[in-house]
Amino acid sequence: MGDGLQSAGHHMDVYASSIDDILEDEEHYADQLKEYLFYAEALRAVCRKHELMQYDLEMAAQDLASKKQQCEELATGTVRTFSLKGMTTKLFGQETPEQREARTKVLEEQINEGEQQLKSKNLEGREFVKNAWTDIERFKEQKNHDLKEALISYAVMQISMCKKGIQVWTNAKECFNKM
């Protein structure tokens, strides 16, 4: 009976020593999956950057529209009464033609700068989206390949571990049956 128990114990010890290798393999697969988690965070940052670029573009367009409206108001002489300009006009009177012309000239320069800035931001945004899209497509292809490979390897490792377990228990059963 002692020989059977000793032999079964030996089989269990062999199985227990193989657990460390299995845990190392599982940790390797978990690390591969963590890499994709970090890459997904990087993609999220790219999306946030695009949102910020879009916000800057919208703010530039809004600023340009505001300056165009101010220039139009100066040119036509109409002033909104519920604006700062309208209130100062009511309190202090109309501007002199020289002041109006100087302000019109400044606004036209700012409008030209704003239009150039808007074109620049549009071009920058398109280029960013194009490059980001290329990176995302490359990531998708690589991700599918890598995850498929990792999951197949993990499944093979699990099958191997189960076969080892079955073999150990079969050997232990034979030892117990000999007793």
Side-chain angles (χ1 to χ4, degrees), residues 24-172:
E24 284 180 23
D25 289 343
E26 283 185 346
E27 188 175 316
H28 171 72
Y29 297 122
D31 288 343
Q32 284 181 330
L33 294 177
K34 286 178 189 175
E35 284 181 37
Y36 278 96
L37 176 67
F38 296 139
Y39 194 78
E41 287 296 321
L43 286 178
R44 186 175 292 147
V46 167
C47 291
R48 274 193 301 266
K49 181 176 179 183
H50 178 259
E51 288 173 354
L52 289 173
M53 290 175 77
Q54 185 65 31
Y55 177 77
D56 287 344
L57 177 68
E58 290 171 5
M59 288 296 108
Q62 194 175 32
D63 187 46
L64 180 63
S66 172
K67 290 201 186 325
K68 283 182 179 180
Q69 183 179 4
Q70 288 176 8
C71 189
E72 183 180 312
E73 287 174 358
L74 276 175
T76 60
T78 59
V79 179
R80 294 174 290 168
T81 53
F82 292 114
S83 68
L84 179 61
K85 178 69 179 151
M87 291 306 226
T88 55
T89 302
K90 292 269 187 204
L91 291 173
F92 302 114
Q94 294 286 339
E95 292 179 319
T96 65
E98 293 84 20
Q99 289 174 326
R100 188 178 300 157
E101 188 176 314
R103 282 199 51 210
T104 303
K105 204 176 256 189
V106 168
L107 279 173
E108 286 174 355
E109 288 176 13
Q110 289 176 345
I111 288 171
N112 287 337
E113 289 172 7
E115 286 173 346
Q116 291 302 319
Q117 186 181 22
L118 194 60
K119 286 178 187 176
S120 167
K121 286 186 184 289
N122 258 330
L123 184 62
E124 183 182 326
R126 281 193 214 114
E127 190 68 27
F128 178 79
V129 168
K130 183 178 133 188
N131 292 337
W133 190 255
T134 303
D135 288 345
I136 289 171
E137 288 300 316
R138 184 177 42 227
F139 166 72
K140 282 181 182 179
E141 291 174 17
Q142 189 67 37
K143 175 195 67 154
N144 290 339
H145 177 265
D146 289 350
L147 286 179
K148 180 179 177 182
E149 186 179 302
L151 292 175
I152 287 172
S153 297
Y154 183 73
V156 167
M157 190 247 343
Q158 287 290 323
I159 290 169
S160 171
M161 183 182 74
C162 290
K163 284 181 180 178
K164 272 186 187 176
I166 290 170
Q167 185 63 43
V168 166
W169 285 108
T170 303
N171 292 341

